[in-house]
Amino acid sequence: MDLKLERKLALVTGSTKGIGKGIAKALLDEGARVIINGRSRKAVDEVVEELSQYGEVYGASGDLATMSGAKEVITSVDEIGDLDVLINNMGIYIATPFEEIDDDEWMKMINTNVLSAIRMCRHYLPKMLKRNSGRIQIIASECGVKPLSAFVHYSVSKTALLGLGRSLAEMTKGSNVTVNTILPGPTWTEGTAIYQNQRGKNEGKTIDEIIQEYFTIYDPSSLIQRFATVEEVANTCVYYCSDLAAATNGAPIRVEGGIIRSI
Ligand code: NAD
């Protein structure tokens, strides 16, 4: 299938590792030009160099949890060209008991997970509407519709992103621009591996036991009973960046292995 992404310009926020880096690689494999983002210029430069073997890659470092960082990224991106694809991927995941999350930590979560996407969409959606062409994706989580008590502020941030995605999609009516929200479930990234391996060490369990326990205790409704791969999530995102996916707009797209038990 030709996804017709050749030479399209895509920004993937938070793409120095994990799902974002996977999406960047998958877009490059389809011939798109990709802009890597992360807070640290060094990390961005390293990934730009690593991925350059697959295609045309640029860097735009900046902390999207702040307005000044967002401006820095926007300046770098606008020097490269008009964005065809914006993937709002970056997000943080903190487990804190609800009663211990103070206002500062709430604001950090909202700034990092929600306002980062708002800042980017506020700049790029009007431009895409003017050109009558573009794809925006917001990476939420299955936690946005199946909130976890151990991750209240994370879950709330992801529910907000689902609302944001649908609200912005309403603005695209009659145009060739789409805004969709992606809901990954548990995904095996470098970060997941470090976290789960550490748990195994602390509890004297093998990684297989830890994974089995995860799907017995935390996500028993998972139909695949395993973590998704970064590539599985990335390939889904890339398809919805395509012109071929023009009829999917304002949709929550699930890549969560069937955890969410609803029709
Ligand atoms: P990760 O921690 O592996 O990578 C996050 C990336 O974002 C890194 O490149 C990091 O440098 C960057 N980043 C973090 N804060 C930033 C900031 N303020 N400004 C710019 N860049 C910043 O994350 P991941 O596990 O790949 O998750 C990516 C997205 O997918 C997140 O939105 C996350 O909530 C969502 N998600 C992940 C999982 C999972 O199991 N991994 C499940 C559901 C949803």
Side-chain angles (χ1 to χ4, degrees):
M1 195 188 294
D2 176 6
L3 295 180
K4 303 190 190 316
L5 287 167
E6 198 71 37
R7 301 287 305 155
K8 299 269 187 190
L9 184 63
L11 166 66
V12 185
T13 71
S15 45
T16 59
K17 58 182 178 168
I19 292 172
K21 186 176 172 188
I23 297 170
K25 162 77 168 57
L27 283 165
L28 286 167
D29 288 345
E30 291 301 320
R33 296 174 295 143
V34 176
I35 305 169
I36 302 295
N37 159 257
R39 274 162 301 182
S40 131
R41 178 168 293 190
K42 184 169 175 282
V44 168
D45 288 348
E46 281 169 10
V47 174
V48 168
E49 194 184 332
E50 181 190 336
L51 295 185
S52 287
Q53 59 183 307
Y54 304 110
E56 204 169 313
V57 195
Y58 303 88
S61 57
D63 181 350
L64 297 176
T66 67
M67 192 55 224
S68 59
K71 278 185 181 155
E72 213 180 300
V73 173
I74 286 167
T75 303
S76 304
V77 170
D78 287 352
E79 279 170 13
I80 299 165
D82 287 329
L83 271 194
D84 299 296
V85 173
L86 167 63
I87 312 270
N88 297 285
N89 164 74
M90 59 152 280
I92 52 168
Y93 190 74
I94 314 172
T96 312
F98 173 66
E99 60 278 16
E100 291 173 22
I101 310 172
D102 60 19
D103 283 8
D104 286 347
E105 194 175 313
W106 268 103
M107 288 317 295
K108 180 181 175 187
M109 180 62 76
I110 299 301
N111 254 314
T112 310
N113 284 13
V114 185
L115 275 164
S116 58
I118 291 173
R119 292 180 182 117
M120 292 291 108
C121 292
R122 189 167 54 205
H123 185 79
Y124 290 109
L125 177 59
K127 285 175 178 282
M128 288 179 181
L129 289 172
K130 205 166 171 191
R131 289 165 55 218
N132 194 23
S133 170
R135 293 279 177 272
I136 293 181
Q137 282 176 19
I138 299 172
I139 312 295
S141 163
E142 104 281 2
C143 292
V145 290
K146 182 189 152 292
L148 295 173
S149 58
F151 295 93
V152 172
H153 57 348
Y154 176 76
S155 300
V156 168
S157 76
K158 294 300 183 178
T159 307
L161 289 177
L162 287 163
L164 175 68
R166 181 65 208 192
S167 303
L168 298 184
E170 293 292 326
M171 294 171 59
T172 67
K173 207 171 200 171
S175 78
N176 293 321
V177 179
T178 66
V179 183
N180 290 297
T181 314
I182 308 286
L183 284 71
T187 306
W188 197 259
T189 61
E190 306 96 302
T192 314
I194 291 168
Y195 178 73
Q196 298 297 351
N197 277 307
Q198 192 55 51
R199 274 193 56 212
K201 266 189 199 154
N202 295 346
E203 296 173 26
K205 293 174 184 157
T206 67
I207 191 65
D208 286 346
E209 286 169 334
I210 286 285
I211 292 172
Q212 198 183 358
E213 185 185 276
Y214 182 91
F215 288 99
T216 308
I217 297 174
Y218 300 105
D219 276 323
S221 61
S222 165
L223 299 178
I224 61 173
Q225 288 289 299
R226 63 169 174 83
F227 285 81
T229 65
V230 164
E231 291 75 19
E232 285 167 336
V233 177
N235 289 336
T236 304
C237 294
V238 168
Y239 170 71
Y240 287 102
C241 291
S242 168
D243 281 352
L244 274 55
T248 302
N249 196 3
I253 295 157
R254 299 175 181 183
V255 208
E256 36 68 277
I259 287 172
I260 302 165
R261 272 182 145 166
S262 71
I263 310 278

